[in-house]
Amino acid sequence: MRTPSFRPLMLACSLALGSLSMTTASAQSVPTQAAPTDGTLLSISASAEASRTPDIATLSTGVVTQAADANGAMRANSEAMNRLVAAIKAAGIADRDVQTSGINLNPQYRYAENQPPVITGYQASNTVNLRVRDLRRLGAVLDALVASGANQINGPTFEIDDADGVQDEARAAALKKAQARAEVYAASLGMRVRRIVSISEGGGFQPVRPMMAMRAMAQDSAPPVSPGETTLTANLDVVFELGR
């Protein structure tokens, strides 16, 4: 009987092991590239403002009525609001600039010592928000509201129609200010500004606008209105990389 030969099998295993050793050596010989460490990071906070004369006014107006019963209070309120809405349309306020903000009906109580409250009647109210796009007519609009029976007026507050454009102007000015400061620091260190690493924006600030409240004014007592100026602010945190 012939003894089986294992020489071909042993040769194949040797070749396979040799190939594996060469692959491992090749993988270990790949150099690792280290991140550059010669840069200096500089963080700067900067803010800037942009101002415009407002071109939109918003206000709320409505009617409050009272009656002995709930139905009477709501009916009287509806009639008064119909007159008010007609006056709003006659003043040139578009439908898209009129929005109901609240309708309320509440009992009115009489309180006495050591006695439970007693309902003496009901109060109904209806309020709408208005947007006036022609500020030259704002005084006349207020006068027309009161003349038509409005006994609740709150506002106006003033806004900028293109607020995003004004905010972008403030952002650009804040970034320019941050870049100028970075150049000052770099020059003082004998370095240069390589690039901006990151920019983050904080909340923009808009000053509180004056609020005017009026109740049951006479027809010729609408006050003069001054829109003044509205300012928007951009706050940026910018990280720069400085280098030689």
Side-chain angles (χ1 to χ4, degrees):
M1 175 181 286
R2 294 180 58 186
T3 303
S5 175
F6 294 98
R7 183 173 299 175
L9 179 60
M10 295 177 61
L11 178 60
C13 291
S14 300
L15 291 174
L17 290 173
S19 177
L20 179 61
S21 300
M22 291 176 62
T23 303
T24 304
S26 298
Q28 292 177 346
S29 64
V30 176
T32 302
Q33 293 184 353
T37 59
D38 60 335
T40 298
L41 296 183
L42 171 66
S43 179
I44 292 180
S45 297
S47 62
E49 298 179 346
S51 301
R52 290 288 188 283
T53 299
D55 46 13
I56 292 179
T58 59
L59 64 141
S60 65
T61 184
V63 176
V64 177
T65 55
Q66 294 181 341
D69 60 89
N71 286 335
M74 288 298 293
R75 185 166 52 251
N77 192 272
S78 296
E79 294 173 356
M81 278 303 296
N82 287 335
R83 293 191 295 270
L84 178 59
V85 171
I88 291 172
K89 292 183 177 181
I93 307 299
D95 290 342
R96 67 187 177 111
D97 292 327
V98 182
Q99 184 180 53
T100 299
S101 59
I103 299 176
N104 297 283
L105 177 65
N106 298 294
Q108 303 297 294
Y109 295 95
R110 182 180 69 242
Y111 297 91
E113 188 175 357
N114 298 324
Q115 293 183 8
V118 177
I119 296 178
T120 60
Y122 290 84
Q123 182 182 82
S125 64
N126 192 333
T127 306
V128 294
N129 292 330
L130 306 180
R131 178 170 290 183
V132 181
R133 298 181 183 274
D134 185 357
L135 296 188
R136 296 171 298 180
R137 302 183 59 252
L138 181 56
V141 170
L142 293 172
D143 200 20
L145 296 177
V146 178
S148 66
N151 55 16
Q152 292 272 335
I153 298 179
N154 292 283
T157 61
F158 298 101
E159 302 174 1
I160 301 172
D161 190 22
D162 184 24
D164 288 340
V166 179
Q167 189 73 60
D168 287 343
E169 182 179 326
R171 291 184 180 107
L175 182 57
K176 185 176 181 180
K177 185 182 295 186
Q179 289 174 314
R181 290 180 183 173
E183 293 291 348
V184 171
Y185 281 108
S188 299
L189 296 170
M191 307 175 78
R192 62 181 180 85
V193 177
R194 286 179 172 174
R195 63 188 179 103
I196 293 177
V197 177
S198 66
I199 301 176
S200 60
E201 180 177 343
F205 170 74
Q206 190 165 353
V208 177
R209 295 160 291 194
M211 185 77 107
M212 175 178 58
M214 300 167 283
R215 291 173 181 263
M217 300 182 301
Q219 181 174 354
D220 59 351
S221 62
V225 179
S226 300
E229 193 174 70
T230 298
T231 300
L232 300 180
T233 303
N235 300 299
L236 301 181
D237 293 313
V238 187
V239 177
F240 298 87
E241 181 185 335
L242 308 183
R244 299 291 180 181

